Every structure is written in structure tokens, then in C-alpha cells.
């Protein structure tokens, strides 16, 4: 008797359970993967929603292929890709072994999700001495060809200017200074902050740092106001209607720092303030000031966990992204529709611009807009 697709889904697929598969002797799967492998079955959002309908009808009868992610170490990369792209014929499976653990899949839940995190406390060193290892690490990544976001690049160049001024290359000098000799404003901001933390800053440099801070504050207010207007409000209007929320959003914007989301790789993937406000104003409950975006699906995560979710999703596609960017330097990288990325019960759509900036990131709406 063969396993049906519905039975596979009910036993292990619906809850993303780890499955040990024994294949029938001389079957296609046996020839490709051996007698036994350990996998997690993979479904697109449409496939998952279709399976939820099929399992309501008995007896189960549907046979065919189901894709899987290999969890072992013995298969070649070609075989692993074959499992992901073509899958296993349900009729080739002789036995499915699995641990009857409590439900962990949250696809069918409308509740907030929780991430398991390990928080490591850190102490800062006095007089900016942490800058020593921070610059050393930045230089190591640069020497190893790891891509840097604009802010990271500015920090690295500022570090070169502070620690190794005499060793600046011609190319680095051209990045730091324009043809008139004026320093790049992003590098200057990082450089003056270094001198301030190291308590080596002059009075004139303090004045210049204050000017840059005022400029940064003004630009941040403009960007926040722009996205509030897109939400059918404005900073002035919100301050009148809800001064506490206006102040909270202002402080979030002022303390926001551009972040790279992939750990390694030649090509960085990062989120800047424009990305941050575009994503959070539409899809994070705590950021919404009215019902303008109520047709959008909110993340089922607390605000503090959204960055971690972004990092997990980006990590899952980074290898593919690096290969794509190498071959398509001028094109946007996108995941949507059947290619949406699955993480902790939700499917995510996103677009990464050619410079590595995430421009869009949101959770796909589920069928009927509610949990199934």
C-alpha cells in the first residue's frame, strides 16, 4: 500500500516534523538517495493551503511528488537540489518514521510568534576603547572581501583615517575626499564620533559634530514625516492627536542604525531608514498610527523580534543571493508568489535592490485573510 500525499501531510508535513524515510527497493528514490534519508517536507503557501483542503476529504487518494529539505550529510549537492526541486514520489516511500512531538508549526495560528533567543550581556570599555576591536574586525572583513553596507563602509574608512592615516590607499582617499578635498559627510560623521568617544576631539570638531547631528535630526524628521504622510497622517497631525506616539516614533527614528542582515558574503544585504519605515509603518502593529494600512497583514511578531526575523529569512537565501548578484549585478533580487520564503509558520515576500538595500518585506496574506 502506497502513502498518499494527504497522509504524508497529516503525519509530518503539516507540522514540519522531521521524517525518516525508508524507500522501496529499486524505486527511483532508492536509486537516487539510498535506502533511508532524513528530511523535512517543503510546501509553498498555495500547496499548503491546497493540502489543508484535501485532508478534509476521505478516503485519502492523491499520489505524486512532494519536495523535501535534506537533513543529513551524505548526499551530494546535486542530490540535495534534486530533493528540493523535484521531490520524492509518494509511491516510493515504504515507511515514514517520526517523533510524535507537540505541534510546532504556526501556519494555522493567528497568535503572535515568539523567538527563542540567547541574550549575552556586554560591557563597554571607557574612553571608546571598544573602537579598537571594532575597527580591527571591520578591517578583517574588508580584507576578506565581505561586502559592507554604506554605514559600515563609512565606519571602516573613518577607522582608516583615525588609526592608519598614512596607510590610506589612493582608492580609499578618493572615497574619503572629493576633488576639492572635502571629506565625505558619512565618513566625517563616523570619524568625529570616534574622536568624541576617545576624548580627543577639539572644540571646533565638537561644533562640527553638533552641526552634523542637527542635520541628521532634520533629515530623520523629514523622512518620518514623509512616511507618516503616506499613512494618511503627518508628524504635526500625529503630535496633535497622540503626542506620546509621535515622540515614540521620533525617538525610534533618531536611534535607528542601518544594519546589514547577512553575516558574510561579497554582496551585503541591509536595511536603511527608508526601508525601516516603509516596512514597519505598514506591517508592525506598534508603528501604525491609523487604519490607513489596515488591509496590510501585520507581522505576527513583537516589534523587538522583527529584525531577527528579517535576519533569519535573509540567511536562508543568502547563498542564492550571492550567486544571483554575481551574475545579475544590475537587477533586483525578489522572492514572491511560489518562491516566497517560509519561516516559522509564515511565507514572506521581499525585494532587494541592486545595491543590497531591502526595499520591501512583508508577510503573505493567508487564504481568506485568517488562520485556516
Amino acid at each position: 500500500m502506497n502513502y498518499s500525499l494527504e497522509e504524508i501531510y497529516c503525519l509530518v508535513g503539516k507540522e514540519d516534523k522531521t521524517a525518516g524515510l525508508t524507500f522501496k527497493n529499486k524505486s527511483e528514490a532508492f536509486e537516487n538517495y539510498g535506502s533511508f534519508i532524513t528530511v523535512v517536507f517543503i510546501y509553498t503557501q498555495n500547496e499548503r493551503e491546497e493540502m489543508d483542503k484535501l485532508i478534509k476529504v476521505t478516503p485519502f487518494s492523491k499520489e505524486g511528488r512532494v519536495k523535501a529539505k535534506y537533513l543529513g550529510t551524505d548526499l551530494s549537492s546535486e542530490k540535495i537540489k534534486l530533493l528540493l526541486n523535484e521531490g520524492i514520489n509518494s509511491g516510493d516511500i515504504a515507511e515514514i518514521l517520526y517523533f510524535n512531538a507537540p505541534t510546532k508549526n504556526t501556519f494555522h495560528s493567528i497568535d503572535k510568534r515568539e523567538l527563542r533567543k540567547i541574550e549575552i550581556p556586554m560591557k563597554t570599555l571607557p574612553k571608546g576603547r571598544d573602537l579598537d576591536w571594532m575597527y580591527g574586525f571591520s578591517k578583517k572583513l574588508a580584507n576578506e572581501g565581505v561586502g559592507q553596507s554604506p554605514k559600515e563602509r563609512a565606519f571602516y574608512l573613518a577607522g582608516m583615517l583615525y588609526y592608519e592615516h598614512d596607510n590610506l590607499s589612493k582608492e580609499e582617499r578618493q572615497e574619503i575626499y572629493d576633488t576639492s578635498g572635502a571629506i565625505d559627510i558619512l565618513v566625517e560623521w563616523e570619524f568625529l564620533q570616534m574622536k568624541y568617544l576617545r576624548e580627543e576631539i577639539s572644540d571646533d570638531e565638537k561644533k562640527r559634530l553638533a552641526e552634523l547631528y542637527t542635520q541628521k535630526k532634520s533629515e530623520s524628521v523629514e523622512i518620518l514625516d514623509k512616511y507618516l504622510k503616506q499613512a494618511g497622517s503627518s508628524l504635526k497631525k500625529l503630535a496633535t492627536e497622540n503626542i506620546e506616539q509621535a515622540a515614540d516614533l521620533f525617538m525610534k527614528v533618531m536611534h535607528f542604525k542601518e544594519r546589514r542582515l547577512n553575516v558574510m558574503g561579497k554582496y551585503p544585504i541591509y536595511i536603511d531608514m527608508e526601508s525601516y519605515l516603509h516596512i514597519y509603518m505598514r506591517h508592525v502593529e506598534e508603528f501604525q498610527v491609523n487604519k490607513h494600512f489596515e488591509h496590510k497583514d501585520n507581522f505576527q511578531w513583537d516589534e523587538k523580534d522583527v529584525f531577527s526575523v528579517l535576519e533569519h529569512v535573509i540567511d536562508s537565501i543568502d547563498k542564492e543571493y550571492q550567486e544571483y548578484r554575481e551574475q545579475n549585478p544590475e537587477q533586483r533580487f525578489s522572492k514572491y508568489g511560489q518562491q516566497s520564503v517560509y519561516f516559522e509558520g509564515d511565507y514572506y515576500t521581499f525585494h532587494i535592490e541592486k545595491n543590497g538595500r531591502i526595499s520591501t518585506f512583508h508577510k503573505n496574506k493567508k487564504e481568506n485573510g485568517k488562520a485556516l
Side-chain angles (χ1 to χ4, degrees):
M1 182 177 176
N2 292 340
Y3 281 97
S4 66
L5 293 179
E6 297 97 325
E7 188 176 7
I8 293 171
Y9 185 69
C10 286
L11 289 175
V12 291
K14 184 175 182 179
E15 306 300 341
D16 296 336
K17 291 180 179 178
T18 299
L21 308 180
T22 301
F23 297 125
K24 296 176 182 177
N25 191 34
K26 296 184 179 180
S27 66
E28 178 189 39
F30 182 93
E31 297 297 329
N32 282 332
Y33 312 115
S35 61
F36 181 87
I37 60 172
T38 304
V39 302
V40 170
F41 287 107
I42 303 297
Y43 300 88
T44 66
Q45 183 170 344
N46 288 343
E47 289 169 342
R48 194 177 289 274
E49 290 172 346
E50 180 62 25
M51 291 308 303
D52 283 322
K53 294 175 184 176
L54 288 174
I55 61 176
K56 294 177 181 178
V57 180
T58 55
F60 297 158
S61 60
K62 193 174 180 63
E63 295 186 8
R65 289 187 173 275
V66 56
K67 297 173 184 177
K69 179 180 179 181
Y70 179 61
L71 300 181
T73 59
D74 297 329
L75 290 183
S76 67
S77 58
E78 290 75 16
K79 297 295 185 183
I80 293 173
K81 289 181 181 179
L82 192 64
L83 270 172
L84 280 172
N85 297 329
E86 296 189 16
I88 301 162
N89 192 314
S90 59
D92 290 352
I93 302 173
E95 185 180 24
I96 299 177
L97 301 176
Y98 62 96
F99 178 54
N100 193 19
T103 298
K104 67 173 183 177
N105 181 288
T106 54
F107 178 78
H108 304 87
S109 169
I110 60 174
D111 297 329
K112 284 278 185 80
R113 287 84 161 91
E114 291 185 5
L115 282 178
R116 292 186 294 274
K117 301 186 292 291
I118 299 176
E119 296 185 354
I120 303 174
M122 293 185 65
K123 293 183 179 180
T124 57
L125 296 173
K127 295 188 177 181
R129 294 207 306 270
D130 286 306
L131 289 168
D132 296 348
W133 69 261
M134 290 169 65
Y135 169 66
F137 183 67
S138 177
K139 182 178 180 180
K140 180 177 183 294
L141 293 180
N143 290 340
E144 292 176 354
V146 176
Q148 298 172 311
S149 71
K151 182 186 184 304
E152 288 175 317
R153 186 64 181 172
F155 176 83
Y156 167 71
L157 292 172
M160 284 290 297
L161 197 58
Y162 179 83
Y163 288 98
E164 302 182 75
H165 181 272
D166 294 336
N167 294 330
L168 285 168
S169 67
K170 180 181 178 181
E171 292 76 16
E172 288 165 342
R173 289 184 181 278
Q174 289 175 341
E175 281 190 78
I176 295 172
Y177 301 104
D178 63 19
T179 53
S180 67
I183 188 171
D184 178 86
I185 194 167
L186 293 179
V187 177
E188 184 181 17
W189 169 255
E190 297 291 340
F191 178 70
L192 292 178
Q193 285 189 100
M194 287 180 180
K195 296 196 73 174
Y196 178 80
L197 290 171
R198 297 301 293 258
E199 300 180 9
E200 298 171 4
I201 192 168
S202 67
D203 288 341
D204 286 342
E205 288 172 328
K206 285 181 181 178
K207 291 178 183 178
R208 176 57 179 162
L209 184 58
E211 290 175 5
L212 292 177
Y213 178 79
T214 301
Q215 183 176 330
K216 179 179 183 296
K217 178 180 175 181
S218 176
E219 291 172 352
S220 298
V221 168
E222 287 181 14
I223 295 173
L224 175 58
D225 191 50
K226 166 185 159 183
Y227 281 93
L228 283 170
K229 287 176 179 176
Q230 289 182 10
S233 183
S234 68
L235 191 56
K236 182 178 180 180
K237 181 179 180 182
L238 184 62
T240 302
E241 297 174 346
N242 190 337
I243 186 63
E244 290 185 4
Q245 188 177 24
D248 183 55
L249 289 176
F250 173 74
M251 293 306 296
K252 283 181 168 65
V253 165
M254 287 305 299
H255 288 96
F256 173 81
K257 292 184 179 180
E258 178 183 291
R259 286 175 61 172
R260 178 161 50 95
L261 299 173
N262 56 337
V263 178
M264 302 297 286
K266 178 180 177 181
Y267 301 100
I269 303 173
Y270 67 94
I271 179 171
D272 65 3
M273 190 180 295
E274 295 269 355
S275 312
Y276 172 66
L277 288 174
H278 178 88
I279 295 167
Y280 277 59
M281 294 292 289
R282 287 164 170 77
H283 307 293
V284 175
E285 184 178 350
E286 292 87 343
F287 272 65
Q288 294 178 1
V289 297
N290 51 35
K291 295 183 178 181
H292 189 80
F293 292 126
E294 63 180 349
H295 61 288
K296 306 282 188 182
D297 258 18
N298 286 338
F299 294 130
Q300 288 174 246
W301 301 96
D302 288 329
E303 177 195 341
K304 61 184 174 60
D305 290 330
V306 173
F307 262 120
S308 294
V309 173
L310 278 159
E311 288 172 332
H312 280 288
V313 171
I314 292 305
D315 180 66
S316 70
I317 57 87
D318 189 42
K319 183 178 179 181
E320 179 185 354
Y321 176 79
Q322 298 297 322
E323 294 174 355
Y324 178 89
R325 184 58 62 220
E326 195 70 41
Q327 299 172 11
N328 304 277
E330 297 300 318
Q331 295 183 27
R332 184 167 75 168
F333 178 91
S334 300
K335 287 290 183 182
Y336 59 92
Q338 299 289 2
Q339 291 189 335
S340 297
V341 176
Y342 181 68
F343 176 72
E344 293 290 331
D346 293 311
Y347 290 84
Y348 292 92
T349 286
F350 56 90
H351 303 291
I352 305 173
E353 302 304 318
K354 64 181 183 179
N355 63 355
R357 186 181 75 87
I358 292 182
S359 56
T360 301
F361 187 98
H362 63 83
K363 177 173 72 78
N364 292 358
K365 189 180 289 291
K366 292 188 173 74
E367 192 173 72
N368 299 324
K370 58 183 180 181
L372 299 171

